[in-house]
Amino acid sequence: MAPVTSTSSTSTPQATEVLRRVFGYDSFREGQQEIIEHVVAGGDALVLMPTGGGKSLCYQIPALVRPGTGVVVSPLIALMQDQVDALRALGVRAGFLNSTQEFGDREVTEAEYLAGELDLLYLAPERLRSEQTLQFLSRGKIALFAIDEAHCVSQWGHDFRPDYLRLSALHERWPDVPRIALTATATPATHAEIAQRLGLEQARHLVAGFDRPNIRYHIEPKQEPKRQLLRLLRTEHDGDAGIVYCLSRSSVEKIALFLQENGIPALPYHAGLDAATRAAHQSRFLREDGLVMVATIAFGMGIDKPDVRFVAHLDLPKSVEGYYQETGRAGRDGLPATAWMAYGLQDVVQLRKLSTEGDETHRRRQLDQLDAMLALCETVDCRRVRLLAYFGQDGSPCGNCDTCLTPPATWDATVPAQKLLSTVLRLQRERNQRFGAGHLIDILLGKKTEKVLQFDHASLTVFGVGTELSEAEWRAVVRQLLALGLLTVEGEYGTLSLTPESAPVLRGERPLSLRRDPTPRKPDRSAKPGGSSAKPAADLAPEAASLFDRLRAWRAATAKEQGVPAYVVFHDATLREIASTHPTTLGELSGISGVGENKLTKYGEAILTVLEDHP
Ligand code: ADP
Ligand code: ZN
């Protein structure tokens, strides 16, 4: 980690001035100023900040302060138009070059770059493969290179892009141009890998706090996932925009249909849909208020819609890194948001099976990732503390996750665990048979099913010895034994076997305390739409709340007229502040966070009119 070299005395006032005038913000967030000053002064930087932390300003402000154009390398072609629109709405001269562009538009952007008329130019990484592009860039003046989504250089990550490996060459060609790499995904190992592959070991590193305090984490046992999801949407997120993640394409389709049938506007998104449909669905999600996107993990990277109020997982993600990145898409605007997941025995069985595939290194890595994910799900301690620990950071119990809000009970499960493990053991030893969870539970409950009769399992000494627990409770036991590595699952049928760790439990040498699954909440009839805590307007006084609604209606109409997403006009947080402070002059309006010079000129009068019309 290199010290800040020279911080020119003029950069601070310039950077702060740009922050206020262009973006309409009063002060920098933690870490932003240090990095911005360092890059303005010509230094390299590697920035790790959680989603919504404010990475973009770290390269946008230096690009505005330094002479020349900031070249932004981003893999997110489908989002470039929106990113550029958002910057133009602030009065920033921005453009992009990518394969989706009309020839004429490209020529215009190229000419602007060469004439020094662009502050920011977005490019896809594959562009930099061609010598032609490199020569073109050489003919203009480059203020800096920003490498966005820098974790794409990590070969272990799920977003690996080979073209990112070439980006280290930028430095050889333009040794004097500062480079700033940014990502929201980084465990200590990924961090080191990014620095090494991009040649940024000597750069200034900023590791911001990864906490997202406005996100409420909630993980519940999966019982009737569709109903559970519907309950969440109806009671806590009525009318909100959100993302529902599923593992497979077919479940994406099914859930989207299910939500539509229940009157919730939902769209599917997965890699099996053609490009035009995907683009159309993404665009609608960004532009319309209150749409729910049901998607595989193919959706979401770079989606900087600030008012996503919830992210729901109906299947267990494969790693905590993935989970944190996906849930991080909620609540970028800093207002309350929910990260909800339903997780059950079947998820564990399925992922444990998947992680027996591939070569040894790959398998180990997958198993470690899965173990960390399961530990998060089964913890009786604060979820946030666990999450932060995964990223090497400390935290204290947060008061804003399910385990903090309703501490789960634990119970002594030693005897039931022994019954289950000895059933597995007996079948294996006495009959050389292995079975999945369902059949084992039937045996313990003494159910004379067809399969029990077929295999004569009613004659086992363990038959019917487990009637003290219900089927759901037994499933919770199996799930937790799998999560703890006291059972493993194998093969196409998900058969269970013992592990070396099972023996001490069977011998009574290791007492076992398990988490008691909370009983599912009954649908809360008293909860009114709009009355929940995750609503942007929830804690506003009634008058301000109705004003907020009017401002949103004005914003929707304005955005539609201009063909841009609503948040490009103003964020919810800005409208909220306007609604609660009720400014009466342009001067007062300009003091509100998110109202910069350009937007004041463009929308100031219209906003004041909306406010005046309000009785
Ligand atoms: P990231 O790229 O890290 O996910 P963004 O750069 O999109 O995050 O920033 C998240 C949100 O925070 C945006 O709405 C942005 O305008 C806002 N923001 C960033 N920096 C500041 C600041 N210093 N003051 C107020 N809002 C900020
Ligand atoms: Zn907590």
Side-chain angles (χ1 to χ4, degrees), residues 147-170:
I147 302 169
D148 207 3
E149 311 291 349
H151 62 281
C152 290
V153 80
S154 160
Q155 280 175 313
W156 289 111
H158 40 74
D159 294 322
F160 176 57
R161 314 249 170 164
D163 284 316
Y164 264 65
L165 292 174
R166 300 164 179 271
L167 297 177
S168 58
L170 293 176

Side-chain angles (χ1 to χ4, degrees), residues 523-528:
D524 185 358
R525 302 252 169 244
S526 67
K528 297 182 284 298

Side-chain angles (χ1 to χ4, degrees), residues 24-134:
Y25 298 140
D26 292 337
S27 54
F28 285 109
R29 290 197 184 146
E30 190 200 331
Q32 282 179 331
Q33 185 163 11
E34 181 193 332
I35 286 297
I36 289 171
E37 286 177 3
H38 182 65
V39 176
V40 166
D44 292 337
L46 173 53
V47 175
L48 277 60
M49 255 190 200
T51 313
K55 282 183 290 300
S56 327
L57 290 192
C58 293
Y59 64 83
Q60 289 168 350
I61 293 185
L64 288 166
V65 173
R66 283 177 65 86
T69 305
V71 175
V72 187
V73 182
S74 163
L76 308 163
I77 295 179
L79 295 169
M80 285 182 184
Q81 182 71 59
D82 284 343
Q83 284 171 325
V84 163
D85 284 347
L87 285 164
R88 289 200 183 139
L90 296 167
V92 174
R93 302 171 304 170
F96 67 88
L97 293 175
N98 73 30
S99 51
T100 66
Q101 207 163 22
E102 305 267 318
F103 178 71
D105 291 339
R106 195 170 82 209
E107 283 204 314
V108 171
T109 305
E110 287 179 351
E112 284 172 343
Y113 171 73
L114 295 176
E117 289 165 1
L118 281 185
D119 300 311
L120 282 156
L121 175 64
Y122 286 76
L123 289 181
E126 50 272 23
R127 289 248 135 195
L128 295 171
R129 237 189 278 157
S130 93
E131 183 54 32
Q132 212 184 337
T133 306
L134 298 176

Side-chain angles (χ1 to χ4, degrees), residues 382 398-399 401 404:
C382 174
C398 70
C401 73
C404 279

Side-chain angles (χ1 to χ4, degrees), residues 381-385 396-405:
D381 303 320
C382 174
R383 308 254 190 225
R384 194 177 311 268
V385 168
S396 47
C398 70
N400 193 27
C401 73
D402 58 337
T403 51
C404 279
L405 291 167

Side-chain angles (χ1 to χ4, degrees), residues 467-484:
T467 49
E468 74 274 27
L469 299 186
S470 70
E471 184 175 337
E473 286 166 329
W474 273 116
R475 292 180 74 82
V477 171
V478 179
R479 189 191 77 217
Q480 294 183 65
L481 292 183
L482 275 167
L484 290 167

